[in-house]
């Protein structure tokens, strides 16, 4: 690499930032920064939560302590500590630490960082740890750029993502890294974090000598949905509401500060599909209360009502089917009514259909019938239509046996021809649809049993 390329500016941040260095010295100089940034952990001991990862004896803890990190991806929701953990590693590791944002940076900048890492390894015998924040913003072909440099040891990759790596990281990269899942912080961990921020005179609010009750901190933690950044932001906003000379932080302050908070929900991310899954499983489990809760969580977070109505229509066929033939009609009517009414009144037919589907009998016999029929088609291919079922539309095809020996069901008792078959010869005797004992499907099953009894009587 030429000297010119070495002097080219980069958006990457090498080593700890000024903010973190000041915090580590205990002389916090940037009090204008948000409280959440000022309170970022400076050591492994300051990290809260994540006992499955950061307790003594755990794989990640041991790797950090020994400074022998594998290439890894930190996967977790916002505010769970991914970036905080990366900053701690920046202080602790003896390798050269480079921070890079997949949102702000591009492949050209990444190549410069990797070229510098290769030179550092060749001439200084020093490894480079590359932290890539929001790694899921690189598409899967861009992610391939990391592969050869992980394999030859030029870099140790540390990625952070809020998205499920199974879907957002390509398989080749996943096979070369370890994935560590960070959970939302529990209330106890958030309370510890809030207490620390209130007491810390260098980085936190300690100089203001604010007082509050444990119950108030617990309420603040509960309102933060496991997000440390949100908890500290709520604390800071609540403290700003204190009048001059007022020191007691109360529930009323928290409620006022939390009025505009948004639900933890990403309409295009993993949480969207998690809550959709919870809704469908609640419907399938015949729990109208849970189904309505998850439905409202999605609507309140701004999800598309038409997406929800589509899911309800699918559910009506897939999980209710003929156990209640009116279920699909109910879902379709709700869709039609919503399109005419719009919001906010349109929430009523959506909730109406949701509660009906959760409460009615369930059967997946339609789904199982489809799967069985597909397997037969896959196994046997395009079997010929028996002559008796073919369309005898012309004299020529009738001469070739089209329509011969076909019996018209309406000329028989119960409009049923005992012993007649309608499948290709190879599949005669196969049964794809097996009605359940649930709801109306029980009547269908009883009818089939009577018809089969007629066929057996004839033989």
């Amino acid at each position: 690499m030429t000297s010119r390329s070495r002097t080219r500016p980069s958006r990457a941040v090498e080593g700890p930032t000024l903010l973190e260095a000041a915090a580590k010295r205990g002389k916090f100089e940037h009090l204008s920064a948000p409280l959440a940034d000022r309170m970022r952990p400076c050591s492994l001991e300051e990290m809260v939560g994540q006992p499955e990862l950061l307790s003594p004896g755990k794989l990640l803890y041991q790797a950090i302590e020994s400074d022998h990190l594998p290439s890894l991806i930190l996967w977790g929701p916002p505010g769970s500590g991914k970036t905080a953990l990366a900053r701690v590693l920046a202080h602790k590791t003896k390798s050269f630490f480079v921070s890079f944002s997949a949102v702000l940076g591009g492949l050209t900048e990444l190549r410069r960082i990797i070229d510098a890492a290769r030179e550092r390894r060749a001439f200084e015998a020093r490894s480079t740890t590359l932290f890539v924040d929001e790694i899921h913003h690189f598409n899967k072909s861009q992610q391939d750029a990391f592969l050869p440099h992980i394999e030859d040891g030029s870099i140790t990759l540390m990625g952070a993502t809020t998205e499920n790596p199974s879907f957002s990281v390509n398989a080749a990269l996943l096979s070369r890294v370890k994935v560590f899942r960070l959970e939302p912080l529990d209330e106890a961990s958030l309370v510890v974090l809030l207490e620390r921020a209130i007491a810390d005179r260098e980085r936190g609010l300690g100089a203001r000598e604010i007082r509050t009750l444990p119950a108030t901190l617990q309420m603040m933690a509960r309102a933060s949905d496991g997000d440390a950044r949100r908890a500290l932001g709520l604390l800071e906003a609540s403290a700003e509401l204190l009048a001059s000379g007022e020191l007691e932080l109360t529930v009323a302050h928290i409620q006022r500060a939390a009025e505009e908070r948004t639900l933890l929900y990403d309409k295009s991310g993993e949480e969207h599909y998690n809550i959709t899954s919870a809704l469908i499983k609640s419907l399938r489990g015949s729990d109208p209360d849970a189904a309505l809760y998850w439905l409202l969580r999605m609507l309140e977070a701004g999800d598309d009502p038409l997406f929800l109505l589509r899911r309800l229509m699918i559910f009506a066929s897939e999980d209710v089917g003929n156990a209640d033939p009116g279920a699909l009609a109910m879902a379709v009517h709700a869709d039609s009514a919503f399109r005419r009414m719009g919001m906010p009144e349109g929430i009523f037919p959506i909730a109406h259909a949701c509660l009906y589907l959760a409460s009615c009998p369930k059967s997946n016999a339609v789904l199982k019938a489809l799967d069985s029929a597909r397997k037969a088609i896959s196994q046997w291919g395009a079997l010929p239509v028996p002559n008796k079922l073919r369309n005898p539309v012309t004299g020529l095809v009738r001469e070739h046996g089209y329509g011969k020996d076909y019996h018209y069901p309406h000329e028989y008792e119960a409009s049923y021809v005992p012993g007649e078959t309608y499948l290709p010869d190879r599949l005669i005797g196969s049964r794809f649809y097996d009605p359940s004992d649930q709801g109306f499907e029980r009547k269908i099953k009883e009818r089939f049993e009577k018809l089969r009894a007629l066929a057996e009587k004839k033989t």
Side-chain angles (χ1 to χ4, degrees), residues 107-420:
L107 286 179
T108 301
E109 182 179 354
L110 183 60
R111 289 190 190 100
R112 291 201 297 269
I113 293 170
I114 290 176
D115 285 345
R118 297 178 69 178
E119 278 200 358
R120 196 174 297 114
R121 182 168 176 262
F123 298 111
E124 301 176 24
R126 190 180 181 191
S127 61
T128 299
T129 297
L130 173 60
F131 173 63
V132 182
D133 200 13
E134 307 290 350
I135 193 171
H136 59 274
H137 282 284
F138 268 8
N139 64 42
K140 295 189 177 183
S141 61
Q142 288 174 312
Q143 292 169 16
D144 285 338
F146 297 114
L147 300 179
H149 311 294
I150 293 173
E151 289 181 340
D152 68 15
S154 296
I155 61 169
T156 297
L157 177 67
M158 185 192 313
T161 178
T162 56
E163 301 295 320
N164 188 332
S166 300
F167 308 120
S168 60
V169 177
N170 71 30
L173 184 55
L174 270 183
S175 70
R176 291 164 173 81
V177 301
K178 291 192 70 65
V179 176
F180 294 97
R181 174 79 163 113
L182 281 73
E183 300 293 338
L185 297 181
D186 58 28
E187 287 184 20
S189 298
L190 289 173
V191 167
V192 169
L193 196 61
L194 292 167
E195 289 174 338
R196 186 184 297 167
I198 290 173
D200 193 314
R201 302 184 70 85
E202 299 291 341
R203 293 184 285 164
L205 306 176
R208 298 181 58 176
E209 298 183 346
I210 292 172
R211 301 187 302 267
T212 191
L213 295 173
T216 306
L217 291 178
Q218 288 173 352
M219 175 186 176
M220 207 180 310
R222 192 173 304 118
S224 301
D225 292 321
D227 186 329
R229 191 180 300 110
R230 179 177 294 183
L232 291 168
L234 183 56
L235 171 61
E236 188 171 29
S238 302
E240 291 300 317
L241 296 175
L242 291 172
S244 178
E246 188 179 7
L247 300 177
E248 185 71 27
L249 195 63
T250 67
V251 168
H253 295 114
I254 308 303
Q255 289 174 332
R256 284 179 57 194
E259 283 178 357
E260 300 301 321
R261 78 182 184 93
T262 56
L263 294 173
L264 173 62
Y265 190 73
D266 178 359
K267 290 178 286 183
S268 63
E270 185 197 7
E271 197 63 13
H272 165 81
Y273 297 102
N274 286 338
I275 296 183
T276 302
S277 175
L279 169 63
I280 297 303
K281 288 171 181 172
S282 300
L283 290 168
R284 189 179 295 138
S286 296
D287 188 336
D289 302 304
L292 186 62
Y293 170 82
W294 295 117
L295 179 86
L296 285 175
R297 276 280 300 273
M298 298 178 79
L299 288 172
E300 290 292 325
D303 215 318
D304 184 359
L306 294 178
F307 167 80
L308 286 166
L309 286 160
R310 177 176 173 271
R311 293 304 311 173
L312 293 179
M313 287 188 280
I314 294 169
F315 180 88
S317 282
E318 182 178 345
D319 287 282
V320 177
N322 286 324
D324 185 344
L328 180 57
M330 172 66 76
V332 171
H333 287 325
D335 179 76
S336 178
F338 173 81
R339 290 174 187 272
R340 295 190 65 183
M341 296 164 68
M343 291 294 269
E345 292 85 355
I347 196 171
F348 291 108
I350 300 175
H352 184 170
C354 174
L355 293 171
Y356 184 93
L357 292 173
S359 305
C360 68
K362 309 295 187 298
S363 169
N364 68 342
V366 171
L367 172 66
K368 292 166 71 175
L370 282 170
D371 287 344
S372 297
R374 283 196 182 105
K375 287 176 182 176
I377 293 169
S378 176
Q379 179 178 0
W380 300 109
L383 296 172
V385 177
N387 274 353
K388 63 184 176 184
L389 301 180
R390 295 192 178 200
N391 183 19
V393 67
T394 66
L396 177 62
V397 295
R398 283 194 293 272
E399 289 178 7
H400 286 79
Y402 281 33
K404 184 180 179 182
D405 297 327
Y406 172 69
H407 301 282
Y408 189 54
H410 294 298
E411 294 177 350
Y412 290 78
E413 180 185 352
S415 295
Y416 177 73
V417 184
E420 184 60 285

Side-chain angles (χ1 to χ4, degrees), residues 1-10 14 112 115-116 119 123:
M1 186 171 67
T2 66
S3 59
R4 181 181 178 184
S5 64
R6 282 197 297 269
T7 59
R8 192 176 299 173
S10 171
E14 300 182 350
R112 291 201 297 269
D115 285 345
E119 278 200 358
F123 298 111

Side-chain angles (χ1 to χ4, degrees), residues 79-99:
S80 57
K82 301 182 298 297
T83 304
L85 183 55
R87 302 300 186 190
V88 167
L89 294 173
H91 295 307
K92 196 167 183 66
T93 183
K94 293 183 177 66
S95 70
F96 193 84
F97 189 93
V98 182
S99 181

Side-chain angles (χ1 to χ4, degrees), residues 39-74:
M39 292 304 300
R40 285 192 189 279
C42 298
S43 68
L44 198 56
E45 291 71 30
E46 286 190 8
M47 292 289 298
V48 298
Q50 313 305 338
E52 292 301 314
L53 298 181
L54 300 177
S55 298
K58 299 296 183 181
L59 176 62
L60 183 57
Y61 182 92
Q62 290 180 328
I64 295 170
E65 285 295 294
S66 63
D67 198 11
H68 289 297
L69 280 174
S71 287
L72 57 87
I73 288 179
L74 302 173

